[in-house]
Each structure stands twice: as structure tokens, then as C-alpha cells.
Amino acid sequence: MNNIEKRDKGLAYISDDSVFEQQKNARRLTQALNTADRADFKKLQSIIEELFAKCENPFVNPPFYCDYGFNIEVGKNFFANYNCCFLDVAKIKIGDNCFIAPNVSIYTAGHAIYPTARIKGYEYGAEVTIGDNVWIGGNTVICPGVSIGDNTVIGAGSVVTKDIPPMVIAAGNPCRVIREITEEDKKYYFKDKEFSPEDFEQIYG
């Protein structure tokens, strides 16, 4: 197998010239995104639609960085805020209605623990999956191979090293479940601050 085939099978591989060749399109598109008029929202969206393998009504606030783009699949109404970095050596799959705060990094790329293999240039990719309606807080790092369930909130500054289940609040380094999200949470928008009756009716009807 060549190194591209090894990479795509989740095996250890080396980033040779053929691998770097595949990164050129993403580098051109991210450069276009990061130097575009920040007020030209349609242009920003059109670049992301060309960069990502799958998306529907996405928006990304530049700057944004990734390796390939064609390994990133996002659902409807995806939003990523400023200065996010997705190392998409393997697939990054994100569901519908997901919010990604500033400075979030999603890493599918990794290196061997023993130094000799790293020095020889070997690396690997492990898929990251994020469910529907997930909110990832600012400065979070999501490590290779992690899965995050539907409707979950990841607190700011977390380092997610293991799978997180659906419908929970999780935070910390390493990221751990703090509590489940319950019906009681419906009435609050921030800590103990409640929605007005009008807004509550508008949201939940």
C-alpha cells in the first residue's frame, strides 16, 4: 500500500509528497477564506461549501485551518467561530445544528508514543464524531478517536480524550461528565437567569 492508502485505512503512514499534494487545495481555500472580506458573508460561505465534503447552510468565522477539507462532513446549520483548527487526517463528522466556539481544535491526527517512530515520520488518523445539537465551548481540544453524543455541551477549556455520552454537560482536563441535561434546564439561558415568558413560549410553544 502507498501512504495515502495506509492513511485512509487508519494505519500508520508517512506524509510523503503524494500526501502533501492532497493538502494543496485545502491550503488554497483556507488562504482564500482567511484573507476574504469578513463582511462578505456569501463569499465566506461559498468557500466553506467548496472546502468541506458535506455541509448545508454552514458558516465559519475566519481564520480557520484544516489539512484536507474533504474529510470534514458537517450537518445543517453548522457554525464555527474564530480561529478553529480541524486536523482532518481522518474523517471529522459533525451533526446538525452544532455550535463550535472560538479557538476549538479537533485533532484526528496523532503520533506514536515511542520517539523512534515519530522521528521516522510515522503518524496516524482516528475519526472524530460529534452528534446533533452539540455546543463545544471555547478553547476546547478534541483528541483523535473521540465521539460526542447528541445534545451535549462541552465546557470551555476542556480536553476531550474519551467518548462523551449524549445529553450531558461535560468539562475539564481530561473532560468528564458533570451532570445530565434535564427538563429543568429549559427555562434558563445562563446560570440562574430565566427566559421571559414570551421568549419561553416562542422557543417551546
Side-chain angles (χ1 to χ4, degrees):
M1 283 186 289
N2 61 39
N3 280 299
I4 290 174
E5 291 168 336
K6 288 180 178 179
R7 180 200 66 199
D8 292 348
K9 288 182 179 293
L11 303 174
Y13 75 99
I14 293 173
S15 287
D16 60 12
D17 289 343
S18 66
V19 173
F20 284 124
E21 184 66 28
Q22 284 196 322
Q23 296 180 7
K24 286 183 178 180
N25 188 57
R27 290 176 183 243
R28 293 186 183 105
L29 288 172
T30 52
Q31 181 174 348
L33 177 74
N34 295 337
T35 58
D37 180 356
R38 302 294 172 88
D40 191 343
F41 300 124
K42 288 185 177 179
K43 182 173 183 180
L44 297 179
Q45 186 175 46
S46 70
I47 295 170
I48 290 299
E49 288 173 344
E50 186 176 354
L51 178 63
F52 288 178
K54 176 188 172 186
C55 56
E56 185 175 341
N57 193 36
F59 191 80
V60 173
N61 265 324
F64 173 80
Y65 306 95
C66 68
D67 281 332
Y68 300 95
F70 59 68
N71 275 333
I72 300 172
E73 300 180 4
V74 304
K76 300 175 184 176
N77 305 318
F78 173 78
F79 174 75
N81 221 321
Y82 305 103
N83 204 40
C84 289
C85 178
F86 293 5
L87 298 187
D88 57 324
V89 167
K91 292 285 186 184
I92 296 173
K93 296 181 179 179
I94 301 175
D96 294 340
N97 308 310
C98 287
F99 296 170
I100 310 293
N103 302 306
V104 168
S105 295
I106 301 176
Y107 303 149
T108 69
H111 304 272
I113 295 296
Y114 201 80
T116 306
R118 293 199 306 273
I119 293 167
K120 295 291 186 179
Y122 282 92
E123 56 188 284
Y124 65 88
E127 181 175 306
V128 168
T129 303
I130 298 171
D132 295 336
N133 314 315
V134 172
W135 176 22
I136 307 293
N139 292 291
T140 290
V141 174
I142 299 174
C143 293
V146 163
S147 177
I148 298 172
D150 294 346
N151 305 308
T152 280
V153 175
I154 304 294
S158 296
V159 178
V160 188
T161 61
K162 296 181 179 180
D163 292 354
I164 303 294
M167 205 69 176
V168 298
I169 298 171
N173 180 8
C175 187
R176 293 184 175 91
V177 173
I178 296 172
R179 67 172 178 87
E180 293 183 353
I181 297 171
T182 69
E183 291 289 309
E184 179 69 11
D185 291 302
K186 282 185 173 181
K187 63 184 181 182
Y188 302 106
Y189 64 89
F190 178 63
K191 295 186 177 180
D192 61 349
K193 297 184 181 295
E194 297 187 19
F195 288 104
S196 69
E198 295 83 6
D199 288 333
F200 190 89
E201 177 67 20
Q202 180 71 25
I203 294 166
Y204 300 108

